[in-house]
């Protein structure tokens, strides 16, 4: 069952493909409106201008490329910014499941709209949906809803939950619909309607959800790396190595209160193993 294209002959090609195009336009439009409303682009531009003004050293092209690669490998591909390993694994399941589910949906609808046999793509579609469901429900019931840390119940919703809830409903009803035989007859018509309703909510509410966040995250991570490379440090002091004798001579409070070989103070959150979100 998971090897068959669930969209085979479901609706006329133009309707299915038109729906996907409309969803893409809604995401683009919602992201642009979100940038205008929250002034995200203006913030990045103004922050970049401050960074250039406060820069203490120039950064060569090689280091810039290195920073880009670092962001790609750490923040984008492996979600290395998450210190909690369980949160990181959950996020990776959710992220790659979402990408695989959306990409395979587009391939099936545009490449095989009237073909039951679509090669490996139906299996990838089901795999992506399952991965998103695993990561999303893991986050929702175990990581996000930590009563001892936040005192929240699983049914308490906020505007920020719009993305994860609609994404979970989309893949849940997609899997139920497909595994029950797909099509649009009998009870499957209800499952299909819930699938379409959830997907429409997911892609049409970018302005009110955290969907647009994924587009800003790499840019913010790259800008943060650049502030460390050029010494602007987001308007914070660029102290350098606390064990440097020249630095300690300039700031005698360092050896006085921390010794000549100051320990790595590190983020306080790492003083104990993270147990909560």
């Amino acid at each position: 069952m998971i090897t068959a294209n669930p969209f085979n002959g479901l609706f006329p090609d133009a309707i299915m493909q038109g729906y996907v195009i409309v969803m893409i336009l809604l995401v683009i439009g919602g992201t642009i409106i979100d940038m205008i409303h929250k002034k995200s682009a203006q913030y990045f531009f103004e922050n970049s201008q401050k960074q250039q003004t406060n820069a203490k050293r120039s950064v060569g092209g090689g280091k810039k490329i290195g920073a880009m690669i670092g962001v790609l490998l750490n923040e984008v591909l492996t979600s290395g910014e998450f210190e909690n390993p369980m949160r990181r694994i959950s996020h990776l399941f959710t992220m790659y499941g979402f990408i695989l589910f959306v990409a395979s949906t587009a391939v099936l609808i545009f490449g095989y709209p009237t073909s039951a046999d679509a090669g490996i793509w139906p299996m990838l579609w089901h795999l992506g949906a399952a991965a998103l469901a695993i990561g999303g429900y893991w986050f929702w019931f175990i990581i996000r809803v930590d009563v001892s840390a936040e005192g929240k119940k699983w049914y308490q919703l906020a505007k920020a939950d719009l993305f994860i809830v609609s994404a979970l409903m989309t893949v849940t009803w997609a899997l139920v619909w497909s595994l029950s035989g797909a099509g649009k007859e009998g009870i499957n018509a209800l499952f299909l309607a819930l699938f379409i309703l959830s997907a429409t909510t997911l892609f049409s509410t970018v302005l009110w959800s955290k969907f647009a966040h994924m587009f800003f995250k790499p840019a913010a991570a790259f800008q943060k790396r650049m502030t460390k490379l050029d010494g602007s440090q987001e308007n914070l002091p660029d102290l350098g190595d606390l064990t440097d004798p020249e630095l300690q001579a300039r700031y005698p409070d360092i050896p006085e209160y921390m010794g000549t070989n100051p320990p790595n103070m590190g983020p306080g959150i790492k003083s104990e193993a993270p147990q909560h979100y």
Side-chain angles (χ1 to χ4, degrees), residues 39-272:
K39 299 182 179 180
S40 303
Q42 179 181 343
Y43 166 79
F44 280 115
F45 176 76
E46 292 177 352
N47 218 31
S48 178
Q49 294 296 104
K50 290 181 181 178
Q51 177 187 335
Q52 293 177 16
T53 302
N54 297 329
K56 296 178 175 61
R57 48 187 173 265
S58 60
V59 181
K63 289 187 176 181
K64 289 182 180 179
I65 294 175
M68 291 180 186
I69 295 174
V71 169
L72 178 64
L73 295 178
N74 189 67
E75 280 83 0
V76 177
L77 295 180
T78 61
S79 300
E81 74 277 14
F82 290 108
E83 294 293 343
N84 187 326
M86 295 299 101
R87 178 69 182 93
R88 183 178 184 182
I89 295 171
S90 166
H91 182 81
L92 289 173
F93 265 104
T94 304
M95 179 180 70
Y96 284 110
F98 178 82
I99 293 172
L100 190 58
F101 177 73
V102 170
S104 55
T105 297
V107 170
L108 290 172
I109 289 178
F110 284 92
Y112 306 92
T114 57
S115 174
D117 182 12
I120 196 174
W121 288 105
M123 292 187 65
L124 294 179
W125 185 82
H126 288 88
L127 179 63
L132 199 165
I134 291 171
Y137 281 115
W138 185 0
F139 167 75
W140 187 260
F141 287 108
I142 299 176
I143 298 175
R144 174 192 176 274
V145 186
D146 188 335
V147 177
S148 64
E150 300 179 353
K152 291 185 178 180
K153 305 296 185 182
W154 68 268
Y155 50 80
Q156 288 180 303
L157 301 177
K159 188 181 293 185
D161 299 321
L162 189 57
F163 172 75
I164 185 63
V165 172
S166 57
L168 282 175
M169 290 300 98
T170 297
V171 294
T172 297
W173 292 117
L175 288 172
V176 171
W177 167 68
S178 176
L179 296 178
S180 64
K184 50 185 177 180
E185 292 77 30
I187 191 65
N188 284 348
L190 174 62
F191 297 151
L192 176 60
L194 291 171
F195 171 31
I196 295 174
L197 177 62
S198 301
T200 304
T201 302
L202 173 63
F203 295 110
S204 64
T205 57
V206 172
L207 182 61
W208 301 279
S209 74
K210 294 181 66 177
F211 198 115
H213 150 80
M214 66 182 69
F215 302 109
F216 304 136
K217 177 182 170 182
F222 175 73
Q223 191 173 70
K224 186 173 183 179
R225 285 175 181 256
M226 288 301 298
T227 62
K228 293 182 179 180
L229 289 175
D230 63 20
S232 57
Q233 288 284 70
E234 299 178 295
N235 295 326
L236 295 174
D238 184 21
L239 291 178
D241 184 4
L242 296 181
T243 63
D244 183 3
E246 183 179 345
L247 180 66
Q248 292 185 5
R250 188 186 313 166
Y251 302 104
D253 286 351
I254 294 176
E256 180 178 352
Y257 293 105
M258 302 177 65
T260 56
N261 188 23
N264 178 14
M265 304 302 287
I269 196 172
K270 292 184 178 179
S271 60
E272 65 172 281

